[in-house]
Amino acid sequence: MVLAGPGSGKTSVIVERTAYLTREGGVSPSSILVVTFSRAAAAEMKERFLAFTDQERTGVTFGTFHGVFYGILKQAYGFGAGNILSEEEKREILQELILEYGQELSQEGDFLDEVAKEISLVKNERISLRHYYSSCCPDEVFKQIFHGYKRALTERRKLDFDDMLLFCYELFDKRKDILEGWRRKFQYILVDEFQDINRLQYDVIKMLAAPLNNLFIVGDDDQSIYKFRGANIGNILGYEKVFPQAKVIKLEQNYRSTQAIVKAANSLIANLGFVPPDSRFKTAELKDLKKLHQIRRENPYLEGCRIISNSDAHYLEHIQGPERTIPVWEKSIAAVLDYLRGR
């Protein structure tokens, strides 16, 4: 387990670890799986790996959780692109079910989105409906909508985004022969941004990695931005309990940001109960970085609006000027760092 903060070289670690396995370790590239959360991140890692190893192609599998798991389902069930439920179809199905089972709630503007989120949560956490209490509607209404949605997808032979994970878990749970075949295929597994993994993704990765457990994870235990998708920071914090033989390596040098920037982020983390190690923030000081302004708003959207609004244009002017006034979001550490890096 590699614990690493922003700008400490997490992607480089995965790229060079993969290269080491193939070059020095004699590991077949086709037996290595590198998995992350976005297609852009997977493509970047593959591109950097090819450049680092001076190759034009590789047998290493770089992909997202959904992409890799769906590939497994394709081979098992013969699924194709036509089996993937579009967002438009999903909304149509849910709208019909809401009108049928919860008509009095259909007038609430965000009710459909709330129901969709709860369906996703139930699937990703593998929660039994007997033990789930809906926060957006009466439990019986939610159960009817959930079962109706599941029925509609089965009849249409469709999978939604969450089913790609859930069906893969169920496949491996029921068909140990298929699981064993993929274990032989992927004997070395590397996971990026592990702090954002949810229960279902973690369960499938553990199934794939056993019994060799050649699992190499990289993450930042001070951040997690996908809680709305079921991400659980407890997975990385409790990793050593699940894998007591795991070796822990810490990357404590930030190569991307100046001391003033990371000090501001540090103060935010401290308010969450974390105390980052000082060594992580040994960076060169930017002399013209004078001021830090904390901007308080009730949500990140309004905070962002304040930054780009005309009434606060002087903030942006100062970014370009000699004073270098830096706005700091209170709610989102990731947003702080992205803004200050000019993204």
Side-chain angles (χ1 to χ4, degrees):
M1 176 169 65
V2 177
L3 298 178
S8 57
K10 294 192 291 292
T11 302
S12 296
V13 165
I14 289 183
V15 167
E16 297 189 30
R17 164 76 173 180
T18 305
Y20 177 84
L21 288 173
T22 58
R23 287 177 165 179
E24 307 296 330
V27 175
S28 170
S30 62
S31 66
I32 300 174
L33 170 64
V34 181
V35 64
T36 187
F37 286 86
S38 72
R39 285 179 291 181
E44 179 190 357
M45 281 196 290
K46 182 175 182 179
E47 185 178 313
R48 288 177 61 171
F49 174 77
L50 292 174
F52 184 78
T53 56
D54 194 26
Q55 299 180 86
E56 293 185 357
R57 61 182 62 87
T58 180
V60 176
T61 298
F62 291 88
T64 65
F65 286 97
H66 291 86
V68 171
F69 294 173
Y70 182 64
I72 292 171
L73 294 175
K74 283 173 66 176
Q75 290 202 28
Y77 299 121
F79 288 139
N83 295 111
I84 300 176
L85 185 74
S86 70
E87 187 63 25
E88 183 179 358
E89 286 179 290
K90 180 177 182 177
R91 297 186 72 85
E92 287 177 358
I93 293 170
L94 288 176
Q95 187 61 51
E96 291 176 4
L97 292 168
I98 289 170
L99 290 173
E100 181 177 355
Y101 298 115
Q103 189 170 7
E104 69 282 0
L105 299 168
S106 63
Q107 302 304 314
E108 298 182 18
D110 58 351
F111 179 62
L112 189 151
D113 292 327
E114 292 302 314
V115 169
K117 287 179 183 177
E118 292 202 11
I119 290 174
S120 179
L121 177 65
V122 168
K123 288 185 177 184
N124 279 284
E125 292 296 310
R126 293 195 291 110
I127 302 172
S128 169
L129 289 183
R130 289 177 298 175
H131 307 297
Y132 183 74
Y133 302 97
S134 174
S135 62
C136 68
C137 63
D139 295 336
E140 190 57 36
V141 171
F142 178 77
K143 290 177 182 178
Q144 290 174 321
I145 292 174
F146 183 91
H147 288 306
Y149 177 70
K150 185 176 180 181
R151 208 164 37 244
L153 265 60
T154 301
E155 291 171 355
R156 301 184 188 199
R157 204 164 184 261
K158 296 278 189 176
L159 293 84
D160 66 13
F161 204 54
D162 303 307
D163 288 333
M164 295 179 190
L165 309 178
L166 182 60
F167 284 17
C168 192
Y169 172 85
E170 292 176 346
L171 174 66
F172 284 167
D173 186 52
K174 296 174 182 177
R175 293 290 304 274
K176 301 302 182 185
D177 55 329
I178 294 178
L179 171 60
E180 187 57 36
W182 286 103
R183 282 174 172 172
R184 289 195 298 268
K185 163 70 174 172
F186 294 131
Q187 297 184 34
Y188 295 83
I189 301 174
L190 297 86
V191 182
D192 188 28
E193 303 291 2
F194 191 81
Q195 76 278 353
D196 289 323
I197 202 169
N198 66 31
R199 176 182 177 181
L200 194 51
Q201 291 162 338
Y202 195 15
D203 285 345
V204 177
I205 287 295
K206 286 186 289 187
M207 295 170 84
L208 270 176
L212 298 177
N213 291 331
N214 286 326
L215 187 57
F216 182 90
I217 69 162
V218 178
D220 184 352
D221 53 339
D222 283 337
Q223 67 166 313
S224 182
I225 63 174
Y226 288 113
K227 186 176 181 180
F228 68 95
R229 292 183 184 172
N232 184 353
I233 192 68
N235 290 328
I236 192 170
L237 297 177
Y239 186 79
E240 292 176 89
K241 293 181 180 180
V242 178
F243 299 99
Q245 302 302 316
K247 183 177 181 180
V248 180
I249 299 171
K250 295 183 179 181
L251 302 184
E252 298 179 326
Q253 179 72 44
N254 186 311
Y255 298 98
R256 178 188 300 153
S257 306
T258 64
Q259 183 70 17
I261 291 173
V262 294
K263 186 177 180 180
N266 213 6
S267 67
L268 294 176
I269 296 172
N271 288 331
L272 297 174
F274 298 108
V275 183
D278 293 337
S279 57
R280 181 176 294 179
F281 304 109
K282 293 179 179 177
T283 55
E285 186 72 56
L286 187 62
K287 293 183 179 179
D288 65 346
L289 189 58
K290 301 288 187 181
K291 303 176 184 177
L292 290 171
H293 284 271
Q294 188 178 61
I295 296 173
R296 297 175 182 270
R297 282 293 183 269
E298 61 188 23
N299 62 58
Y301 174 76
L302 293 178
E303 292 164 9
C305 287
R306 163 120 189 231
I307 293 299
I308 63 174
S309 67
N310 291 332
S311 62
D312 289 297
H314 64 280
Y315 280 109
L316 301 182
E317 292 171 2
H318 282 236
I319 291 292
Q320 304 301 326
E323 293 299 316
R324 299 298 294 274
T325 301
I326 301 299
V328 176
W329 282 263
E330 185 180 51
K331 299 290 185 183
S332 172
I333 295 172
V336 173
L337 299 177
D338 284 347
Y339 183 85
L340 296 175
R341 290 198 297 269
R343 289 185 178 180

